[in-house]
């Protein structure tokens, strides 16, 4: 069920403002791809354009092509709602639904879309998803408690469980650890390593050590200056990016000489 | 400020003082009034003012308190300035002024409540809640017809205002962009400022067009109240929807949920407590309206449960009319007016408490 | 996904708006509700104007009072503005002080209870305040008004002679002040509570006393809130019907004498008093006066909003 994502000469606009320019990227199935770069370089915008979440902001649009296993995600007649069912997302700050219990949060994807399933099948789905998110043992005795009763790290894993419960092909993560303490971060990183056997994962991170630890491929985004569009400078295997990048800008950034 | 930037004047000042103060240029301990001092000044001020007034033959409790408070403020300032310095003295005077203003504001508000309860209890009996005024000329009778009228008209108004108000708020927060949204926001603001009597005139002008100038009926009153209620519902619901974090909406979208389901199943449930209590307060706000109902719902002595035909009395109108146009003897009418006012206050009180309860019950649990 | 897919249709011709049926229905009904409000408000304006026109076109003899429309409505406008102004002048400083007391001076445990009580009093129906004004305040203020005439009679405001019943413009103003006091207090309290703790602590850390902290942090932050609260109260006082109707027996005069027995009525009170017994052009005249009242309150609200919007940039209260 894991699929490839391909961007071809992708431009992303907010109204008339060109936010990201000319991205060509090949994301292979069952890999972890990290997107790094300074703040405001467009890596989050690019990530959100993959499941059309950036359209939440009015006036947002793209030019160029973005494909999921060869199918155009922005083709005519494509429903962004349908795209998001296949490409899940985990956000910067854990955001469990406050009106729902842990159990309900996991099956929120179904519940919100009014899909009915048998009690047994639902129970299995909840257990499978929570196990998949390494959270089952911690919450199995209190599934009826509100999601917001968990700690920050647990909440984030609950959100991951919620995202994988709809069985997406691709999982996008927008700085999933930036609001967490080091121990919770470690738990999430371990989880990412396990998840990549089933999913294509794209993760935006500000933490270069994290990118080096969890990813197979790394893309470096940069921006020339304020008001200029962000662009993909270089993308390669993570080892290569961190040891012998082709571009001077990449080397400066990963070695901390970014000015 | 470091020592080398000190000016000459400062240096000369410290030079002139004791050596130990040069080591500690800014003493931590100031002169301070003992804790009993303000009370002593207060008592002394009151005694002095009372004494002078009594000696001149002008003694009155109110006057003593007012002049006493003034003297208290002046004396406190003087003493505090002498012992503690000017800034502290100003602070003390402001404290006195604020507290006194609070007490002054309290007097009429307490008086309102006490008066209504005192006068209202005289007829706060079973007969008031079961009898109408049909055929009653003096003693007895009650406000049953008015209570029913109030409930029916307010319920109808709520039935019209709540869906329109909430949907409009949803439009403004979730969908509204561009010119239409700005126009609606502006005109909801305009609507907030419509005087209640103008709302009544509108309902009258509207229905008189079809039914002639003699038209008086309950539904017209409900329409007038809706005009007053809708903007309140829109505003409070809007506020509540706005504080639902965008992250929750995004989380739902990312699960492939269409927008309308996101609103219905995530946004509104998250803010339902605030919406419900806002709606309850809006009801409390219109249930006491008098003027528009006086114009379009009219006045009658009997029970009328049909809002679409015939005049319909409401509690505030009943209270007003009983007081302003009493029969002979006067007293039973006045008593009924006060009891109506008391019942109104109780209804408003209950609705307010209900709003808080609702907010607590529906609020998302965190534990 | 409404907006994003509709606007860029020219840039990406391949993208057509894709929306589910449920989305269309829901968005449609929400938009419909908003549009309905616009229609209703347009209806209010149209019907009021339509019903007011006969009063403008009628010959003076047909109008109540037998003079022209301006002579009839003028004193009412004066009475409306005067009573509301008195109320505002009395209520605003008191309300700010009460709000400050509740938020910054009262013991914390007491403060929350007081907040509830203020909110509750703001919701008490105006007819209750009217009854209180005529039954309690009017007789109680007689000696006070007599003293005003004795000592301050040389000011035209207190020229007297004092009304024997105590039903005077001053009493109306005070009653309205009592009525709008909780409203202004509730709004101001809300804003004062929202003062960023950081600002307050910054002031205290500079060694400010409590009052200096309030002057440096709380009042500048809350200024637009106070103004909007006061304007809300002013709007309420301008449109207040029953309290004025039940206290004053107005006549069509214009006078600044606040404590005599002949007083101008207010627009709203005049409508309430005259409407039940009016027919024909008299009704149209009352509706015309209602229109004038609407315009006045609209002006007040617009000014308030203008002030708030202008201040917003400086106050940091957004």
């Amino acid at each position: 069920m894991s699929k490839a994502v391909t961007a071809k000469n992708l431009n992303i606009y907010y109204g008339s403002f060109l936010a990201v320019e000319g991205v060509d990227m090949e994301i292979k199935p069952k890999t972890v791809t990290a997107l790094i770069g300074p703040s405001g370089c467009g890596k989050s915008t690019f990530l959100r354009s993959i499941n059309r979440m950036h359209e939440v902001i009015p006036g947002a649009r793209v030019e160029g092509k973005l494909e999921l296993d060869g199918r155009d995600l922005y083709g005519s007649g494509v429903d962004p709602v349908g795209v998001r069912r296949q490409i899940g997302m985990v956000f910067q700050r854990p955001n469990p639904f406050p009106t729902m219990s842990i159990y309900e949060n996991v099956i929120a994807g179904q519940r919100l879309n009014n899909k009915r399933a048998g009690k047994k099948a639902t129970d299995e789905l909840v257990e499978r998803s929570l196990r998949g998110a390494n959270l089952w043992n911690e919450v199995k005795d209190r599934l009826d408690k509100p999601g917001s009763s968990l700690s920050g790290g647990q909440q984030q894993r609950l959100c991951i469980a919620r995202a994988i419960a709809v069985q997406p092909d691709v999982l996008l993560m927008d700085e999933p650890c930036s609001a967490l303490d080091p121990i919770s971060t470690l738990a999430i990183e371990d989880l990412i390593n396990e998840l990549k056997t089933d999913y294509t994962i794209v993760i935006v991170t500000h933490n270069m050590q994290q990118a080096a630890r969890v990813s197979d491929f790394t893309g470096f985004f940069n921006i020339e200056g304020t008001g200029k569009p962000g662009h993909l400078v270089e993308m390669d295997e993570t080892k290569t990016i961190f040891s012998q990048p082709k571009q001077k800008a990449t080397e400066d950034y990963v070695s901390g000489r970014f000015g | 400020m470091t020592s080398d930037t000190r000016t000459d004047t400062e240096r000369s000042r410290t030079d002139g003082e004791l050596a130990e103060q040069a080591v500690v240029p800014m003493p931590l301990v100031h002169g301070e009034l003992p804790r009993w001092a303000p009370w002593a000044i207060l008592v002394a001020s009151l005694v002095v003012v009372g004494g002078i007034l009594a000696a001149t033959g002008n003694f009155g409790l109110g006057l003593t308190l007012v002049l006493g408070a003034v003297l208290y403020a002046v004396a406190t300032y003087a003493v505090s300035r002498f012992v503690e310095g000017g800034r502290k003295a100003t602070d003390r005077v402001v404290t006195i002024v604020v507290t006194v203003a609070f007490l002054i504001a309290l007097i009429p508000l307490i008086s309102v409540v006490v008066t209504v309860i005192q006068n209202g209890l005289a007829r706060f009996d079973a007969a008031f809640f079961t009898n109408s005024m049909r055929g009653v000329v003096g003693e007895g009778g009650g406000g049953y017809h008015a209570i029913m009228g109030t409930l029916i008209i307010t319920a109808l108004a709520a039935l019209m205002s709540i869906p329109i108000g909430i949907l409009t708020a949803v439009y403004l927060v979730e969908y509204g962009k561009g010119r239409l949204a700005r126009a609606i926001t502006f005109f909801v603001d305009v609507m907030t400022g419509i005087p209640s009597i103008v709302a009544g005139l509108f309902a009258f002008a509207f229905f008189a067009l079809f039914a002639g100038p003699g038209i008086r009926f309950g539904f017209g009153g409900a329409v007038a109240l809706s005009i007053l209620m809708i903007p309140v519902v829109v505003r409070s619901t809007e506020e509540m929807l706005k504080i639902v974090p965008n992250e929750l909406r995004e989380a739902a979208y990312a699960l492939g949920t269409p927008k309308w389901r996101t609103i219905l199943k995530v946004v509104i449930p998250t803010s339902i407590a605030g919406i419900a209590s806002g709606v309850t307060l809006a009801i409390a706000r219109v249930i006491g309206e008098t003027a528009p109902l006086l114009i379009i719902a009219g006045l009658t002595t009997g029970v009328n449960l049909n809002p679409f035909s015939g005049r319909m009395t409401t509690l505030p109108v009943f209270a007003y009319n009983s007081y302003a146009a009493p029969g002979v003897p006067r007293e039973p009418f006045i008593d009924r007016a006060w009891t109506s006012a008391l019942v109104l206050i109780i209804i408003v009180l209950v609705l307010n408490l209900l709003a808080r309860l609702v907010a607590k019950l529906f609020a998302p649990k965190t534990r | 996904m409404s907006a994003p897919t509709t606007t860029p249709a020219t840039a990406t011709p391949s993208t057509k708006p894709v929306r589910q049926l449920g989305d269309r229905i829901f968005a449609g009904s929400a938009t419909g509700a908003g549009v309905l409000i616009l229609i209703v408000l347009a209806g209010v304006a149209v019907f009021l104007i339509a019903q007011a026109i006969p009063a403008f076109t009628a010959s003076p003899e047909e109008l109540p009072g037998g003079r022209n429309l301006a002579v009839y409505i003028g004193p009412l406008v004066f009475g409306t503005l005067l009573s509301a102004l008195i109320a505002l002048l009395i209520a605003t400083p008191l309300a700010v002080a009460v709000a400050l007391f509740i938020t910054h001076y009262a013991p914390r445990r007491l403060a929350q209870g007081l907040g509830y009580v203020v909110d509750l009093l703001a919701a008490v129906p105006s007819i209750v305040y009217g009854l209180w004004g005529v039954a309690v305040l009017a007789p109680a203020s007689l000696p006070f008004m007599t003293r005003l005439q004795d000592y301050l009679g040389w000011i035209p405001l207190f020229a007297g002679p004092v009304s024997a019943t105590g039903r005077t413009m001053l009493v109306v103003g005070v009653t309205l002040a009592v009525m709008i006091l909780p409203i202004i207090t509730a709004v101001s309290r809300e804003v004062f509570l929202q003062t960023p703790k950081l600002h307050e602590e910054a002031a205290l850390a500079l060694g400010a006393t409590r009052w200096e902290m309030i002057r440096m942090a709380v009042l500048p932050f809350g200024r637009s809130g106070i103004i909007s609260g006061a304007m809300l109260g002013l709007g309420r006082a301008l449109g207040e019907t029953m309290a004025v109707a039940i206290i004053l027996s107005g006549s069509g005069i214009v006078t600044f004498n606040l404590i005599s027995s002949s007083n101008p009525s207010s627009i709203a009170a005049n409508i309430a008093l005259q409407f039940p017994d009016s027919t024909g052009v008299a009704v149209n005249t009352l509706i015309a006066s209602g229109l004038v009242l609407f315009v006045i309150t609209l002006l007040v609200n617009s000014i308030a909003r203008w002030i708030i919007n202008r201040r917003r940039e400086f106050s940091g209260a957004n």
Side-chain angles (χ1 to χ4, degrees):
Chain A
M1 54 202 233
S2 176
K3 288 182 179 163
V5 177
T6 317
K8 290 176 188 160
N9 196 20
L10 190 72
N11 294 335
I12 307 175
Y13 292 86
Y14 289 119
S16 59
F17 173 70
L18 179 59
V20 178
E21 187 179 28
V23 176
D24 284 294
M25 189 183 280
E26 185 82 36
I27 297 170
K28 295 189 177 69
K30 300 197 179 184
T31 58
V32 178
T33 303
L35 306 179
I36 60 171
S39 297
C41 67
K43 54 193 189 305
S44 279
T45 299
F46 173 69
L47 185 81
R48 292 167 75 93
S49 74
I50 296 178
N51 71 343
R52 298 182 67 165
M53 278 301 288
H54 70 306
E55 291 179 2
V56 170
I57 296 163
R61 62 195 165 87
V62 300
E63 285 168 4
K65 273 228 175 333
L66 195 63
E67 291 172 349
L68 181 68
D69 263 9
R71 284 185 302 130
D72 189 356
L73 288 175
Y74 285 85
S76 95
V78 174
D79 184 354
V81 172
V83 170
R84 293 177 200 144
R85 280 184 204 157
Q86 294 172 48
I87 306 179
M89 186 157 191
V90 175
F91 296 85
Q92 193 166 353
R93 289 189 346 170
N95 51 2
F97 297 119
T99 51
M100 299 182 190
S101 67
I102 294 172
Y103 185 96
E104 289 167 329
N105 257 292
V106 176
I107 55 163
Q110 292 188 327
R111 189 63 66 88
L112 289 174
N113 291 307
N114 238 9
K115 274 193 216 129
R116 294 265 169 253
K119 170 96 174 90
K120 191 146 172 289
T122 315
D123 283 350
E124 277 172 19
L125 174 70
V126 168
E127 180 170 350
R128 194 167 64 237
S129 307
L130 284 172
R131 277 192 195 283
N134 284 345
L135 191 62
W136 174 251
N137 286 330
E138 291 162 58
V139 300
K140 64 182 173 201
D141 300 323
R142 43 171 174 154
L143 291 173
D144 56 337
K145 291 278 179 330
S148 43
S149 65
L150 299 174
S151 75
Q154 288 173 327
Q155 285 187 18
Q156 192 61 300
R157 277 179 282 150
L158 176 61
C159 292
I160 294 175
R162 182 175 68 188
I164 61 180
V166 291
Q167 284 147 349
D169 304 313
V170 180
L171 202 53
L172 309 176
M173 297 186 168
D174 191 356
E175 299 181 43
C177 300
S178 64
L180 303 181
D181 64 88
I183 293 177
S184 305
T185 300
L186 194 65
I188 303 274
E189 287 179 6
D190 288 345
L191 178 57
I192 291 173
N193 265 323
E194 293 168 26
L195 287 173
K196 78 171 177 186
T197 54
D198 291 320
Y199 303 95
T200 308
I201 294 175
V202 186
I203 176 172
V204 163
T205 177
H206 267 130
N207 181 333
M208 277 180 280
Q209 286 77 22
Q210 183 172 59
R213 280 195 299 264
V214 300
S215 69
D216 307 306
F217 294 90
T218 297
F220 171 59
F221 280 77
N222 204 353
I223 186 169
E224 303 290 327
T226 327
K228 299 261 178 58
H231 57 99
L232 178 65
V233 175
E234 174 170 17
M235 169 145 174
D236 211 324
E237 287 194 26
T238 300
K239 278 200 299 282
T240 317
I241 290 282
F242 280 92
S243 53
Q244 42 206 322
K246 297 183 186 66
Q247 303 287 332
K248 176 85 167 50
T250 315
E251 191 183 342
D252 286 352
Y253 186 77
V254 297
S255 60
R257 283 201 300 269
F258 182 75
Chain B
M1 189 188 289
T2 48
S3 56
D4 53 351
T5 60
R6 280 196 185 177
T7 60
D8 285 343
T9 46
E10 273 179 308
R11 204 172 286 136
S12 65
R13 182 150 50 83
T14 37
D15 286 346
E17 287 166 4
L18 290 172
E20 56 193 305
Q21 278 196 333
V23 181
V24 189
M26 178 107 165
L28 282 173
V29 183
H30 279 287
E32 196 183 358
L33 288 178
R35 300 195 67 169
W36 49 264
W39 297 106
I41 299 174
L42 176 62
V43 172
S45 311
L46 290 177
V47 168
V48 167
V49 169
I52 294 175
L53 285 178
T56 54
N58 277 324
F59 185 78
L61 189 63
L63 198 59
T64 309
L65 288 178
V66 171
L67 293 180
V70 173
L71 182 62
Y72 175 47
V74 172
T76 305
Y77 184 80
V79 173
S80 171
R81 196 187 164 87
F82 183 72
V83 180
E84 299 174 316
R87 290 173 56 203
K88 186 75 190 162
T90 312
D91 188 46
R92 281 191 188 274
V93 169
V94 173
T95 305
I96 293 172
V97 169
V98 166
T99 312
V100 167
F102 172 75
L103 293 176
I104 290 176
L106 224 49
I107 295 169
L109 295 175
I110 289 176
S111 165
V112 169
V113 175
V114 169
T115 313
V116 172
I117 292 176
Q118 254 175 9
N119 295 333
L121 280 180
R123 277 305 315 280
F124 198 75
D125 50 24
F128 186 85
F129 292 94
T130 50
N131 291 0
S132 75
M133 286 300 291
R134 170 144 294 168
V136 177
V137 284
E139 300 271 335
Y144 173 69
H145 61 307
I147 294 174
M148 292 315 288
T150 290
L151 293 183
I152 291 171
I153 291 181
T154 312
L156 275 176
L159 219 58
M160 288 185 281
S161 316
I162 294 172
I164 295 178
I166 291 182
L167 276 174
T168 304
V170 165
Y171 171 77
L172 288 177
V173 176
E174 306 288 339
Y175 292 97
K177 301 280 170 333
R179 207 175 290 164
L180 181 63
R182 275 203 303 278
I184 292 176
T185 308
F186 175 76
F187 283 108
V188 166
D189 277 346
V190 169
M191 239 172 141
T192 320
I194 292 184
S196 60
I197 191 127
V198 173
L201 284 179
F202 159 69
F204 172 81
F206 180 74
F207 288 111
L209 214 61
F210 308 113
I215 180 76
R216 302 279 189 280
F217 68 139
F219 182 71
V223 169
L225 291 190
S226 297
I227 291 175
L228 300 172
M229 193 173 165
I230 286 174
V232 184
V233 175
V234 174
R235 275 280 161 278
S236 64
T237 308
E238 213 186 336
E239 291 303 312
M240 291 304 142
L241 292 179
K242 271 186 194 158
I243 58 176
V244 174
N246 257 328
E247 295 156 5
L248 292 184
R249 294 186 182 89
E250 295 192 342
Y253 294 152
L255 291 170
T257 310
K259 186 164 185 167
W260 67 285
R261 278 191 175 281
T262 304
I263 296 170
L264 276 183
K265 301 217 160 176
V266 174
V267 178
I268 291 184
T270 307
S271 54
I272 189 69
I275 294 175
S277 74
V279 164
T280 319
L281 292 176
I283 295 176
R285 159 100 175 74
V286 298
I287 207 166
E289 276 301 341
T290 320
L293 299 171
L294 191 65
I295 285 176
I296 180 67
L299 193 68
T300 173
T301 55
V303 178
N304 173 17
L305 298 181
N306 180 2
F308 294 99
S309 148
R311 295 166 177 250
M312 206 172 201
T313 310
T314 55
L315 262 182
V317 175
F318 180 58
Y320 167 72
N321 196 60
S322 302
Y323 196 95
V328 184
R330 250 179 120 247
E331 278 64 40
F333 287 88
I334 309 292
D335 285 346
R336 282 191 290 265
W338 285 111
T339 307
S340 308
L342 180 59
V343 173
L344 266 179
I345 289 196
I346 292 174
I347 291 177
V348 170
L349 178 76
V350 167
L351 283 173
N352 266 277
L353 292 178
L354 203 67
R356 290 195 193 289
L357 197 68
V358 159
K360 221 165 236 163
L361 285 183
F362 283 105
K365 292 157 193 69
T366 50
R367 289 193 305 142
Chain C
M1 295 299 91
S2 57
T5 41
T6 48
T7 41
T10 48
T12 47
S14 63
T15 310
K16 286 201 193 93
V18 179
R19 295 169 74 187
Q20 296 194 336
L21 182 66
D23 249 344
R24 277 200 300 258
I25 294 174
F26 193 73
S29 51
T31 316
V35 172
L36 184 66
I37 289 186
L38 295 187
I39 294 173
V40 167
L41 207 68
V44 172
V46 167
F47 283 107
L48 285 183
I49 292 172
Q51 291 278 351
I53 283 176
F56 290 108
T57 55
S59 64
E61 298 84 63
E62 295 174 72
L63 293 174
R67 310 280 292 280
N68 74 37
L69 199 60
V71 173
Y72 180 73
I73 296 183
L76 295 175
V77 172
F78 174 78
T80 306
L81 293 177
L82 184 61
S83 59
L85 202 65
I86 298 173
L88 192 67
L89 287 180
I90 298 175
T92 308
L94 273 182
V96 172
V98 172
L100 275 182
F101 182 82
I102 293 176
T103 52
H104 287 84
Y105 286 90
R108 185 153 302 176
R109 215 180 288 163
L110 196 63
Q112 190 162 31
L114 287 174
Y116 286 164
V117 172
V118 168
D119 285 350
L120 190 65
L121 286 167
V124 168
S126 59
I127 181 75
V128 174
Y129 287 109
L131 286 177
W132 174 80
V134 71
V136 177
L137 184 63
S141 57
L142 262 181
F144 175 69
M145 288 193 287
T146 314
R147 277 191 197 212
L148 272 182
Q149 193 204 346
D150 289 349
Y151 295 110
L152 298 173
W154 47 274
I155 304 175
L157 291 177
F158 309 118
V162 174
S163 158
T165 54
R167 298 179 169 201
T168 63
M169 188 51 101
L170 187 64
V171 169
V172 168
V174 174
T175 307
L176 291 181
V178 173
M179 194 184 90
I180 64 176
L181 178 71
I183 296 167
I184 306 179
T185 306
V187 177
S188 309
R189 185 183 71 101
E190 198 87 338
V191 199
F192 291 164
L193 281 179
Q194 285 169 2
T195 311
K197 274 276 161 298
L198 278 173
H199 292 192
E200 294 189 18
E201 284 168 4
L204 290 177
L206 289 172
T209 61
R210 180 155 56 180
W211 165 239
E212 285 161 348
M213 180 268 282
I214 289 173
R215 231 183 39 194
M216 285 164 74
V218 180
L219 289 184
F221 180 85
R223 191 173 298 143
S224 68
I226 297 172
I227 294 172
S228 72
M231 289 298 149
L232 192 68
L234 180 61
R236 209 48 99 63
L238 286 171
E240 175 48 34
T241 314
M242 303 325 290
V244 184
I246 209 167
I247 295 174
L248 279 189
S249 45
S251 52
I253 63 163
V254 174
T255 172
F256 280 102
N257 189 343
L258 299 182
I259 57 175
S260 80
S261 55
S262 55
N263 298 287
S265 187
S266 79
I267 295 177
N270 183 60
I271 296 173
L273 291 173
Q274 305 299 327
F275 195 88
D277 304 323
S278 294
T279 50
V281 182
V283 171
N284 301 122
T285 313
L286 291 177
I287 291 179
S289 71
L291 205 58
V292 173
L293 176 61
F294 182 36
V295 172
I296 294 176
T297 48
L298 193 62
L299 277 178
V300 167
N301 280 322
S302 307
I303 293 172
R305 215 169 310 286
W306 180 71
I307 293 175
I308 294 162
N309 286 339
R310 207 180 48 138
R311 288 274 180 195
R312 183 170 291 157
E313 295 149 37
F314 305 101
S315 70
N318 43 35

